[in-house]
Amino acid sequence: MKNVLIAVLLTFYIGKNMYAQSINTEVGLLTGTTSMQSDYGEREHFGSSYANIGFGAGAVVYFSADNKRRRWNDRYNSFQEHLRLRAEVSYMRTKLIHRGAYTQGSGANTILYNAMEGTSSILNYGVQIEYSIFKMSNQSFVDPYLSIGFLANSNSPQLISILGEVDTDPSLIPPVYNDGVFLDKNKSTSLIMGFGTRLRPKSYYNKSIYLVDFRWQKFNSDIVDGLNPTLTANKYNDWLLFFSLGYIFNFN
């Protein structure tokens, strides 16, 4: 939460300077696909790392210094020519199953692994800083950017077995997860880094902008998926990739 607080304070500081010069406001919606790396599956197995697919959707608000001021003020701060602040609220849900060597064969543990299914539901809220490669006053049709930020997360993991109720019969879970299942709602923070591009119609009067966005989100928790087994292979916290498409409306 400390990192999120720092990001919010930074947003307030930069936003205050922008408001002093007039501000440009945009509101948008986005939706896309998630790929979650968790404690389901085999370490360094491609299917385990990237085939646990889910969906995500959210709302975003952008703040940047006013376009007209950029176009007519030659002394305008060149850094703010490239800077946007993005506030976000988003929801993600990913289905998680085991893949890899543990799911091959006909042993007792193999049966347990194949019967085990989980879901991770995540509510994100926080801020990002986007740096536009080109000057925003250019109003380019293609406007690529880089982004970094922090999000606070509320996580709600679930776990089931097609063999029965795991709440009343823990033996339905592979022994490696003894004392490693955490299904209570929990909170975490995450670092996000990404890139993408805006697609702006050629008409100057068209206030619609389209978004293609890709990001990596690393949590400071290893129980976002509800699992944290005591294994030498379990070295890293949970993380995910989020590819999304969006629509943005410019109010100015």
Side-chain angles (χ1 to χ4, degrees), residues 115-139:
M116 186 175 170
E117 297 181 2
T119 57
S120 178
S121 301
I122 307 168
L123 178 65
N124 306 292
Y125 46 96
V127 294
Q128 300 178 53
I129 298 174
E130 288 187 1
Y131 185 83
S132 179
I133 304 301
F134 305 138
K135 290 184 177 181
M136 291 184 288
S137 57
N138 292 345
Q139 298 286 297

Side-chain angles (χ1 to χ4, degrees), residues 85-116:
L85 297 181
R86 167 173 159 172
E88 173 183 323
V89 176
S90 58
Y91 173 80
M92 300 171 177
R93 184 178 175 87
T94 305
K95 180 179 179 181
L96 303 167
I97 64 173
H98 288 288
R99 293 180 174 85
Y102 302 116
T103 63
Q104 307 301 315
S106 57
N109 282 343
T110 300
I111 295 174
L112 297 180
Y113 278 112
N114 285 319
M116 186 175 170

Side-chain angles (χ1 to χ4, degrees), residues 34-54 94-104 110 112-118 177:
T34 63
S35 173
M36 189 169 185
Q37 171 63 63
S38 70
D39 294 311
Y40 282 81
E42 180 184 353
R43 179 174 170 80
E44 297 181 353
H45 177 260
F46 182 84
S48 299
S49 298
Y50 300 106
N52 280 330
I53 302 298
T94 305
K95 180 179 179 181
L96 303 167
I97 64 173
H98 288 288
R99 293 180 174 85
Y102 302 116
T103 63
Q104 307 301 315
T110 300
L112 297 180
Y113 278 112
N114 285 319
M116 186 175 170
E117 297 181 2
Y177 295 108

Side-chain angles (χ1 to χ4, degrees), residues 210-228:
Y210 302 96
L211 183 73
V212 180
D213 188 82
F214 182 84
R215 80 180 185 214
W216 171 76
Q217 182 170 346
K218 178 64 179 291
F219 300 94
N220 74 337
S221 169
D222 197 28
I223 60 172
V224 176
D225 61 347
L227 302 178
N228 187 15

Side-chain angles (χ1 to χ4, degrees), residues 15 18-19 22-28 60-68 70 83-87 136 198 207-209 248-252:
M18 287 182 176
Y19 272 112
S22 185
I23 194 168
N24 186 57
T25 305
E26 301 167 312
V27 175
V60 292
V61 180
Y62 291 90
F63 303 101
S64 60
D66 183 72
N67 287 334
K68 294 179 181 179
R70 294 194 199 100
L83 185 68
R84 295 186 188 94
L85 297 181
R86 167 173 159 172
M136 291 184 288
R198 291 174 163 223
K207 295 180 179 292
S208 296
I209 301 170
I248 302 168
F249 183 81
N250 191 319
F251 281 94
N252 294 73

